[in-house]
Amino acid sequence: MESLLEKIRPAALYITHGDSSTGSVQKIEGLGALCHKYGAMLLVDTVVSLGGEPFFMDEWGVDGVCSSTQKGLSGPAGISPVALSKRAQEVMKNRNFKPPFYLDIELLAAQWNCFGNTRQYHHTLSPPLLWALRSCLKEISKETLPKVWARHARNTAHFYKRIEELSLEFLIPNSEERLVTVTTVVLPKDYDYVEFVHYMRNKHNILISLGVGPTAGKAVRIGIMGFNSTIQVADAIADAMADTLIALKKSLP
Amino acid sequence: MESLLEKIRPAALYITHGDSSTGSVQKIEGLGALCHKYGAMLLVDTVVSLGGEPFFMDEWGVDGVCSSTQKGLSGPAGISPVALSKRAQEVMKNRNFKPPFYLDIELLAAQWNCFGNTRQYHHTLSPPLLWALRSCLKEISKETLPKVWARHARNTAHFYKRIEELSLEFLIPNSEERLVTVTTVVLPKDYDYVEFVHYMRNKHNILISLGVGPTAGKAVRIGIMGFNSTIQVADAIADAMADTLIALKKSLP
């Protein structure tokens, strides 16, 4: 990584913290200092990790973060939290081009009073979505972040145990590299992934996802996060998967 | 207008149907044919008019429409309906540049199955906002559009009468040029616009708006639209304005 940063000297390194397609988590710690050493900003996608995996923007020297509300934060989709470091704000203020209006985060920041009491108009905010996000953050604050992270770790570890008891394989062998919010499981040979997901949905009313991109046809993706990160939910999914394995086994040739 | 179109030959003419700052409505009929005669597309902003003013995209030869859900449609803000004519779709398909991902309406259309059963991923939709929009459109369908328009016309005409009885002036003298959803009213000399709006809010729990842009400090803007377009609401606002006029008169020097 360092040799590439030194060679390419990019303006920014963009990386996902949690990767939903493979169900892996990337270690961000240390990457900020490395990027800054070569004049690059570190931008991180925490869409599927925030609220599940520990994440420390300032400590890790992250300059830009984008996330979502409908994953670990337990909210509805439709609004995307973003955060910029002081360094990123400086870059934004000193840029010598004008981005399209809709993508002009400086105007957006002015609406949010980030630079004094400007309350400049950028777009009409969505009150119900803002309220929903506020309510989700309030729930997390009540539980406290360390406890939220511990709960995710505990319940997903329990789910791992159940998956192992079913003799199923994980797409990511090393449990420390697995994303706590999304678990990718490889089905035994001859099982049809589409059929498996459909059976889970139709018979058990549980929606799990097919692989996507690099994992299409190679894994099922099981999201256990936010409000749903409980032992009960983990057990319900594992029980349903056990039944589905048996049910679809019979129909195999 | 025609001489300008002939001289400039723009790719598109962008116009607002209803103008919220002045409370005026622009006659769109005939403009489509005129634009097409000179090779321009007609793009119309119906943010504050849709669901209040009659609007006929196809009949009027409009090529692109953007709107909002939180005005005449009575929904929450956060999602923006758009529509493109066949002509606009052709232009979009034949363009020789790539817009930024977030502004790529072709990808958005592919997600909405506009060109066959593609269901391509562009972004995660907001289920609660989509459901809210669907519910609003269902209400309008039940009432039927002609009745919705007639209701707006009737209740706003009633409001005009009440405003005239208060000897207040309209910013737009000709009632046919007034937008049915937003009425702009000029206060008598020596009244403070900010004070007026604050009194309406604090004393009567009614939120009306100050002028904006060309009407800042020159008018108050009163929105009566969607679910709120009723005789009761029109009367409640007029009664509160009458009281506010008296209350603030006393404090004048």
Side-chain angles (χ1 to χ4, degrees):
Chain A
M1 178 70 86
E2 180 158 9
S3 64
L4 278 171
L5 284 167
E6 192 178 2
K7 191 176 152 198
I8 300 172
R9 298 273 171 171
L13 174 69
Y14 183 80
I15 195 170
T16 55
H17 182 216
D19 178 52
S20 165
S21 59
T22 56
S24 60
V25 65
Q26 305 204 77
K27 301 282 169 245
I28 304 292
E29 215 171 340
L31 206 51
L34 200 62
C35 284
H36 300 159
K37 186 175 165 189
Y38 296 100
M41 285 195 298
L42 177 59
L43 311 179
V44 181
D45 170 338
T46 65
V47 163
V48 77
S49 60
L50 203 71
E53 294 282 351
F55 180 76
F56 300 94
M57 180 179 178
D58 295 338
E59 278 182 37
W60 294 353
V62 179
D63 297 301
V65 181
C66 65
S67 198
S68 73
T69 50
Q70 77 274 17
K71 311 262 182 185
L73 303 188
S74 301
I79 189 168
S80 294
V82 292
L84 296 180
S85 71
K86 287 276 171 222
R87 177 190 302 255
Q89 289 172 40
E90 283 308 309
V91 171
M92 181 180 74
K93 284 181 185 168
N94 294 317
R95 66 189 170 196
N96 49 19
F97 67 97
K98 198 82 191 139
F101 176 83
Y102 288 104
L103 304 180
D104 192 342
I105 202 154
E106 200 168 358
L107 287 180
L108 185 64
Q111 180 169 33
W112 280 91
N113 280 4
C114 294
F115 315 122
N117 187 22
T118 51
R119 199 59 80 202
Q120 198 178 319
Y121 180 76
H122 180 259
H123 70 284
T124 301
L125 295 165
S126 181
L129 289 185
L130 265 185
W131 186 259
L133 174 56
R134 187 180 188 279
S135 301
C136 293
L137 294 176
K138 206 170 150 187
E139 291 299 312
I140 289 176
S141 298
K142 271 198 287 185
E143 187 177 355
T144 78
L145 263 179
K147 284 190 184 166
V148 169
W149 293 333
R151 174 165 58 79
H152 278 77
R154 194 171 58 242
N155 297 327
T156 298
H158 175 77
F159 185 63
Y160 290 166
K161 229 186 312 169
R162 292 293 315 268
I163 290 297
E164 281 157 10
E165 285 166 12
L166 293 173
S167 302
L168 288 171
E169 274 176 37
F170 297 99
L171 183 77
I172 308 289
N174 181 352
S175 68
E176 297 202 348
E177 290 172 13
R178 287 182 213 143
L179 181 61
V180 77
T181 50
V182 175
T183 304
T184 44
V185 173
V186 179
L187 296 179
K189 209 161 71 74
D190 295 334
Y191 276 89
D192 184 275
Y193 283 91
V194 175
E195 200 183 359
F196 193 91
V197 166
H198 281 180
Y199 192 90
M200 286 284 288
R201 181 175 187 167
N202 296 334
K203 179 75 190 301
H204 295 286
N205 207 25
I206 291 174
L207 182 64
I208 63 173
S209 297
L210 288 165
V212 68
T215 59
K218 290 176 187 158
V220 288
R221 301 183 296 149
I222 300 132
I224 304 181
M225 60 188 104
F227 180 79
N228 275 330
S229 176
T230 64
I231 293 287
Q232 289 74 16
V233 165
D235 276 336
I237 299 172
D239 290 345
M241 287 177 74
D243 176 70
T244 304
L245 284 169
I246 293 164
L248 298 186
K249 185 80 179 177
K250 287 182 197 151
S251 66
L252 289 177
Chain B
M1 178 71 85
E2 179 157 9
S3 64
L4 279 172
L5 283 168
E6 192 177 3
K7 192 176 153 198
I8 300 172
R9 297 273 172 170
L13 175 69
Y14 184 79
I15 194 169
T16 55
H17 182 214
D19 178 53
S20 165
S21 59
T22 56
S24 60
V25 65
Q26 304 204 80
K27 301 281 169 243
I28 304 291
E29 215 171 339
L31 206 50
L34 200 61
C35 284
H36 299 159
K37 186 176 164 188
Y38 295 99
M41 285 195 297
L42 177 59
L43 311 178
V44 182
D45 170 339
T46 66
V47 163
V48 78
S49 60
L50 202 71
E53 295 282 352
F55 180 76
F56 300 93
M57 179 178 177
D58 295 338
E59 278 183 38
W60 294 353
V62 179
D63 296 301
V65 181
C66 65
S67 198
S68 73
T69 50
Q70 75 275 18
K71 311 263 183 186
L73 303 188
S74 301
I79 189 168
S80 294
V82 292
L84 296 180
S85 71
K86 287 276 173 224
R87 178 190 302 255
Q89 289 172 40
E90 283 307 308
V91 171
M92 181 180 75
K93 284 181 185 168
N94 294 317
R95 66 190 170 194
N96 50 18
F97 66 97
K98 198 83 191 139
F101 176 84
Y102 288 104
L103 304 180
D104 192 340
I105 202 154
E106 200 169 356
L107 287 180
L108 186 63
Q111 180 169 32
W112 280 90
N113 281 3
C114 293
F115 315 124
N117 187 23
T118 52
R119 199 58 84 203
Q120 197 179 321
Y121 180 77
H122 181 259
H123 70 285
T124 301
L125 295 165
S126 181
L129 290 183
L130 265 186
W131 186 259
L133 174 56
R134 187 180 188 278
S135 302
C136 292
L137 295 176
K138 205 170 149 187
E139 291 298 311
I140 289 176
S141 297
K142 271 198 287 186
E143 187 177 355
T144 77
L145 262 179
K147 284 189 184 168
V148 169
W149 293 333
R151 173 165 59 81
H152 278 78
R154 192 171 59 243
N155 297 327
T156 299
H158 174 77
F159 184 64
Y160 290 168
K161 231 186 311 169
R162 292 293 314 269
I163 290 298
E164 282 158 8
E165 285 165 11
L166 293 173
S167 301
L168 288 171
E169 273 177 38
F170 297 98
L171 183 77
I172 308 289
N174 182 352
S175 68
E176 297 203 347
E177 291 172 12
R178 286 181 212 144
L179 182 61
V180 77
T181 49
V182 175
T183 304
T184 43
V185 172
V186 179
L187 295 179
K189 209 160 70 74
D190 295 335
Y191 276 89
D192 183 276
Y193 283 91
V194 175
E195 200 183 359
F196 192 92
V197 166
H198 282 180
Y199 192 90
M200 285 283 288
R201 181 174 187 168
N202 296 333
K203 179 76 190 300
H204 295 285
N205 207 24
I206 290 174
L207 182 64
I208 63 173
S209 297
L210 288 164
V212 68
T215 60
K218 291 177 186 159
V220 288
R221 300 184 296 149
I222 300 132
I224 304 180
M225 59 187 105
F227 181 79
N228 275 329
S229 176
T230 64
I231 293 288
Q232 288 75 16
V233 165
D235 275 336
I237 299 171
D239 290 346
M241 287 178 74
D243 177 70
T244 305
L245 283 169
I246 293 164
L248 299 186
K249 185 81 180 176
K250 286 182 196 149
S251 67
L252 289 177

